[in-house]
Amino acid sequence: MNVPYQLGDPLPDATWQAVRFRTVFECCKWDVQSEDHCVLADFPLLIRESTWQELSSLAESLSRELALAERELLRRRDLQPKLGLPKALLKQFARLDEPTPGVARVMRFDFHFTEEGWRISEVNADVPGGFIESSGFTQLMAANYPGTTAPPDPACTYARALARGLGPGAVVGLLHATAYSDDRQVMQFLTKRMTDLALRPMLASPAHIRWDEGRPSISSSFAESHLDAIVRFFPAEWLPTLRAKPQWTPFFGGGRTPISNPASAVLVQSKRFPLVWDSLSTDLRTWKALLPETFCPSTVHRDLSDFVVKPALGRVGEDIAISGVTAKQKLQLIHREAKRSPTRWVAQRRFTVIPLPSPNGSYYPSLGVFTVDGTAAGVYARIGRKPLIDDEAQDIAVLIVDKGGNA
């Protein structure tokens, strides 16, 4: 089988150090080092234009189907308990009359090339990350590889969608967990893109928001302002930690100011989303073709070693168990927990990712294709030494080889 990508040559050291420096100071990527290694790869992943077009088309189909499924799930309160959501969220959905409107809906679909062709492992529909790496860093890498171009810039596309939906001068609250520098850097980077388009971004925590008749404003010691829209970079399941219900429930329903993304996205963010497919009228043919079979662990009446076990609301590869990949003690712990509390986990059929050989050993890529309002908008790729993309993986720039080139 022909693998649809290849690794490019590493940059010369002096050039790489310049790219790395600019990524920190121009693109706000402050955490480029993890222990003894750089989290950015000094070489690109090269793909053909036809490969990018194929991934774009698949991601757009997945996005359309997901939007329809979410809309249906908002009405299907009988199915919501099957998604493994916290009780506070289920109670909120149960009393939801009118969902808060959305604007500039952004998602990211994680693709892997396997022995059966392209497969996806999940969607990041709630608060997808990767803007810095797929935008600023990728643009810097592309400038050093003649004959290649960068895919679309998701940060620019996202900012344009907001500007188009809101108009010049709109005040946008970029809400995030302010204690985490890795979240702050993403918001700082998006601030640059939004300011270039005459938007007025304001960085804050959801705890700084006050709602009045469905309209939010920032009320804090550092700022007082109404908001015309909200960018939510704060996971939906974390919102109840704000404690006071009037502070967090409008992110789900009753708000009159548009949010990107509204908290209803958690309905399809759940890895247990496939468990309700057969009860939905939405046509999910692309999802069914690309996502491996998914089960509740309670229905797997044998050893879980043939499955990838995931938490329903897991992120960034945390607490994923793969036999032969995950450390044995951790694997056994996750398997026990999945059997003990199955409604909070899923068991997904394993697929075999085709590794990319290199002089330094094999790599396993994952290509996260962004969509903004249903249109493909760029790709955030990561590459690891094992078939599990977790905190040990590196971010890698994806570059498109021009027509007539090789990849």
Side-chain angles (χ1 to χ4, degrees):
M1 178 178 290
N2 292 326
V3 179
Y5 40 50
Q6 67 183 40
L7 300 177
D9 294 329
L11 289 175
D13 186 64
T15 305
W16 168 242
Q17 294 305 326
V19 167
R20 176 174 158 153
F21 182 88
R22 293 182 65 188
T23 303
V24 173
F25 289 99
E26 295 177 19
C27 306
C28 310
K29 179 66 176 176
W30 305 323
D31 58 346
V32 296
Q33 197 71 17
S34 176
E35 297 180 353
D36 62 347
H37 72 279
C38 182
V39 300
L40 303 173
D42 61 357
F43 51 90
L45 186 67
L46 305 176
I47 64 173
R48 293 182 291 270
E49 173 67 26
S50 59
T51 299
W52 168 242
Q53 293 301 327
E54 179 184 11
L55 290 173
S56 297
S57 178
L58 290 172
E60 289 174 359
S61 294
L62 290 165
S63 183
R64 285 192 297 271
E65 292 174 10
L66 199 68
L68 293 172
E70 181 183 319
R71 200 173 307 158
E72 186 176 354
L73 277 170
L74 277 168
R75 303 191 306 269
R76 294 295 304 274
R77 294 175 183 174
D78 58 315
L79 298 180
Q80 293 167 6
K82 298 181 180 181
L83 298 173
L85 305 180
K87 289 182 179 179
L89 299 195
L90 290 175
K91 288 180 180 179
Q92 176 59 21
F93 282 121
R95 64 171 67 96
L96 191 64
D97 292 323
E98 187 65 30
T100 295
V103 64
R105 186 62 187 271
V106 59
M107 307 176 186
R108 198 190 78 227
F109 302 90
D110 291 347
F111 285 86
H112 310 262
F113 193 72
T114 76
E115 293 176 344
E116 292 80 34
W118 289 112
R119 293 292 182 269
I120 60 170
S121 55
E122 62 183 17
V123 61
N124 292 271
D126 192 43
V127 285
F131 286 103
I132 294 175
E133 300 82 2
S134 56
S135 297
F137 172 60
T138 294
Q139 297 287 339
L140 292 173
M141 290 291 283
N144 290 283
Y145 287 88
T148 69
T149 56
D153 182 324
C156 282
T157 303
Y158 188 35
R160 284 196 297 268
L162 286 164
R164 186 168 56 248
L166 302 173
V171 182
V172 183
L174 276 62
L175 307 187
H176 59 291
T178 52
Y180 295 98
S181 63
D182 51 346
D183 288 6
R184 183 73 173 194
Q185 66 187 6
V186 179
M187 298 295 94
Q188 199 71 51
F189 180 68
L190 289 177
T191 290
K192 294 185 175 187
R193 294 291 199 262
M194 294 179 190
T195 302
D196 290 342
L197 294 172
L199 295 171
R200 294 171 56 200
M202 299 187 72
L203 279 66
S205 161
H208 297 137
I209 300 301
R210 299 294 178 268
W211 297 84
D212 182 17
E213 296 184 352
R215 301 288 186 186
S217 61
I218 291 179
S219 177
S220 72
S221 59
F222 61 85
E224 293 282 345
S225 176
H226 79 283
L227 296 176
D228 297 305
I230 286 173
V231 165
R232 181 179 59 86
F233 204 72
F234 191 91
E237 70 270 22
W238 292 7
L239 288 169
T241 63
L242 299 175
R243 300 184 187 282
K245 282 189 176 181
Q247 233 178 339
W248 64 268
T249 55
F251 287 96
F252 291 84
R256 299 169 60 193
T257 296
I259 299 177
S260 176
N261 292 325
S264 57
V266 75
L267 291 169
V268 289
Q269 171 73 28
S270 171
K271 308 301 185 293
R272 291 175 64 88
F273 167 54
L275 304 186
V276 302
W277 286 357
D278 291 344
S279 301
L280 296 174
S281 62
T282 301
D283 183 352
L284 295 165
R285 67 183 66 186
T286 313
W287 275 91
K288 292 176 180 179
L290 295 178
L291 188 76
E293 281 186 291
T294 304
F295 305 89
C296 179
S298 64
T299 66
V300 178
H301 301 300
R302 59 184 185 279
D303 188 80
L304 288 168
S305 59
D306 291 335
F307 299 85
V308 179
V309 181
K310 303 179 178 182
L313 293 176
R315 300 172 190 271
V316 296
E318 293 179 348
D319 294 330
I320 291 179
I322 304 178
S323 297
V325 178
T326 306
K328 185 176 180 180
Q329 185 175 4
K330 184 176 181 181
L331 180 85
Q332 293 173 342
L333 179 65
I334 292 173
H335 283 185
R336 283 199 301 271
E337 186 59 32
K339 287 292 189 179
R340 184 182 301 120
S341 304
T343 57
R344 293 165 47 197
W345 299 81
V346 293
Q348 192 178 85
R349 290 266 188 215
R350 292 183 66 166
F351 51 61
T352 302
V353 178
I354 297 178
L356 273 177
S358 82
N360 299 318
S362 295
Y363 286 97
Y364 296 84
S366 169
L367 282 71
V369 180
F370 284 96
T371 62
V372 176
D373 287 336
T375 300
V379 55
Y380 168 49
R382 305 190 73 203
I383 196 163
R385 295 290 195 172
K386 57 188 178 183
L388 170 61
I389 302 300
D390 57 14
D391 57 358
E392 296 179 4
Q394 285 184 296
D395 303 319
I396 185 170
V398 173
L399 303 181
I400 300 172
V401 178
D402 291 340
K403 293 178 181 178
N406 295 313

